[in-house]
Amino acid sequence: MKNKRMKIARVEMDLSQEQLAELVGITRQTIGLIELGKYNPSLNLCIAICKALGKTLNDLFWEE
């Protein structure tokens, strides 16, 4: 399942995949894979992404 909410939050903050990756200490490829739904991030990584984007875990990662 693609993570469209994470991509939308990233774009709303005017961040590239590369910039978000730098903020959380991972590679751009990992951000791309998360957005495509091809990588299941750890809880710690999810929290770091949420902090960087000013969102909650529910906002970005909880399935509705």
Side-chain angles (χ1 to χ4, degrees), residues 18-54:
E18 183 72 34
Q19 290 167 320
L20 177 57
E22 282 183 30
L23 287 173
V24 297
I26 59 174
T27 66
R28 182 206 56 79
Q29 289 85 351
T30 303
I31 294 293
L33 290 172
I34 295 169
E35 289 181 357
L36 289 172
K38 295 185 178 193
Y39 181 84
N40 190 13
S42 69
L43 181 57
N44 285 338
L45 179 51
C46 290
I47 291 169
I49 291 169
C50 288
K51 285 181 181 179
L53 296 175

Side-chain angles (χ1 to χ4, degrees), residues 1 3 5-10 12 16 21-22 27-28 42-44 49 53-55 63:
M1 183 170 136
N3 194 331
R5 291 178 288 172
M6 185 177 126
K7 183 175 183 175
I8 290 167
R10 176 178 60 76
E12 285 176 348
S16 67
E22 282 183 30
T27 66
R28 182 206 56 79
S42 69
L43 181 57
N44 285 338
I49 291 169
L53 296 175
K55 300 287 185 182
E63 291 185 34

